[in-house]
Amino acid sequence: MEQVASAMDAEPRRMDARDTSAALAALHRSAERHNEFPSLFARTGDEVRAALDAERHHHALMQAARPTLHQVGQLRGVLVAGIVKNQIVFKLSTETTSLAVSYLDVFLGSGKYSVLPEQGWAYHLVANACMTLAVKFQEPCDPTDPRPDAAAMQRHVDVAFDRVCVQKMESLVLQELGWRLSPPTPASIIPRLLILLGHDPTDVEFADICGRTDVYALAILYDVNFSSRRATCVAAAIVAVVLEDREGFDRAEVIRAIVRAFDDPGGIGEEGIAACARMVDDFRAALSSSSAGDAIVGD
């Protein structure tokens, strides 16, 4: 038993660029044996290219909002923690949570709304409206398992608002978003990148890798510095970091493979993804040296 535990805990063998390239090629060959994978691969490529186009507007918006978001960084952190708590309580998807934080960043970053310190409760109303919009837009509608509404999502918080207040704030948030409710997020792009790298979504390992990438996609929501980075760049960085940790792949080779899969010569480059990957490393190091990781995992 001790030998089994030791083998499970052992780090994977580190591969060089050539071995990593060969391993990725083998993944593709294996996935292509499934009849549906080639069409899935082509469809996923179209989806990623559409995301690259769609994120340009959002990226420009976040670049302009960066100074304002840094000014309200502490407040933002409190609001993000509340949004993440909703995910944990109601078992929502990381993509839903990422959308809610994206909406929040657009609203806070606009700098149009000045709230007095004694009226800080209003920002909790904003966060609640962002969450309810994200749930309505992203979570599946299942009659046997209804989506949580505004009232349900406020039962575990100190400040609660009635349905009319939340709906009015939803209108304000929608106005700031320009009704763009589906900005690309790292959480939405990561599974598509894995498919482009040859991972078959019907494989058990695909779910395990997505579970690991979800941890990062959720954790980085706390760090305002990631808000001004392109979602595809952050997604690619997370994939490269996770595959390096899990499979022993050469990170630089994974990044090269992703850039080739993007087919976006005028857009994201290897250095941009590598820079984001270093940000993920720094963020992970900061968490491991503090108690901040407890806030991410939750009680």
Side-chain angles (χ1 to χ4, degrees):
M1 290 294 292
E2 290 179 0
Q3 289 179 339
V4 173
S6 177
M8 291 179 65
D9 293 339
E11 289 189 5
R13 180 181 67 85
R14 295 297 171 185
M15 302 185 192
D16 59 18
R18 179 180 295 180
D19 288 344
T20 299
S21 180
L24 291 172
L27 271 176
H28 265 286
R29 288 194 298 272
S30 176
E32 285 171 354
R33 295 194 187 103
H34 298 274
N35 293 334
E36 297 180 0
F37 187 79
S39 60
L40 174 64
F41 182 85
R43 187 168 65 251
T44 301
D46 291 339
E47 291 172 353
V48 170
R49 283 186 284 275
L52 285 165
D53 289 336
E55 77 175 357
R56 289 188 174 96
H57 168 82
H58 187 74
H59 177 61
L61 202 62
M62 288 296 94
Q63 284 288 95
R66 185 176 181 180
T68 304
L69 287 176
H70 277 273
Q71 288 173 8
V72 297
Q74 187 172 2
L75 167 66
R76 178 188 178 278
V78 172
L79 300 177
V80 169
I83 289 173
V84 171
K85 187 171 185 179
N86 270 320
Q87 174 184 350
I88 296 168
V89 170
F90 296 103
K91 297 179 173 59
L92 304 173
S93 70
T94 302
E95 188 168 350
T96 297
T97 307
S98 299
L99 278 177
V101 173
S102 179
Y103 300 163
L104 179 68
D105 284 342
V106 170
F107 191 93
L108 294 179
S110 71
K112 295 179 182 177
Y113 304 94
S114 178
V115 177
L116 297 174
E118 60 270 21
Q119 297 175 325
W121 54 265
Y123 285 114
H124 290 279
L125 176 58
V126 174
N128 188 282
C130 291
M131 194 72 208
T132 55
L133 284 172
V135 167
K136 291 174 185 176
F137 184 79
Q138 184 62 35
E139 290 295 313
C141 187
D142 183 354
T144 64
D145 186 19
R147 296 177 298 194
D149 58 15
M153 286 191 284
Q154 296 180 90
R155 288 174 191 155
H156 60 280
V157 297
D158 297 329
V159 183
F161 307 92
D162 62 35
R163 183 171 59 87
V164 174
C165 281
V166 175
Q167 289 177 336
K168 286 182 178 179
M169 184 54 73
E170 284 179 348
S171 297
L172 272 179
V173 173
L174 286 169
Q175 180 179 315
E176 286 306 318
L177 292 172
W179 287 83
R180 292 183 175 90
L181 287 170
S182 57
T185 64
S188 66
I189 296 169
I190 284 170
R192 293 171 170 83
L193 295 186
L194 290 172
I195 291 171
L196 292 182
L197 288 176
H199 289 85
D200 186 348
T202 64
D203 194 331
V204 175
E205 289 196 352
F206 187 88
D208 180 69
I209 295 171
C210 285
R212 293 173 187 240
T213 57
D214 258 10
V215 172
Y216 285 99
L218 185 63
I220 64 169
L221 296 178
Y222 288 84
D223 189 340
V224 69
N225 292 301
F226 286 97
S227 297
S228 58
R229 295 282 182 164
R230 290 180 64 174
T232 45
C233 191
V234 177
I238 290 173
V239 167
V241 168
V242 168
L243 291 182
E244 180 184 44
D245 288 346
R246 186 183 187 275
E247 309 293 341
F249 286 171
D250 178 76
R251 180 186 294 190
E253 184 59 31
V254 172
I255 291 173
R256 278 192 287 274
I258 290 173
V259 171
R260 288 195 296 269
F262 273 157
D263 190 21
D264 182 43
I268 296 173
E270 293 177 25
E271 181 49 42
I273 297 173
C276 276
R278 289 192 292 272
M279 287 175 62
V280 173
D281 287 337
D282 292 342
F283 185 66
R284 176 168 56 177
L287 286 181
S288 66
S289 63
S290 71
S291 60
D294 296 337
I296 294 173
V297 175
D299 296 326

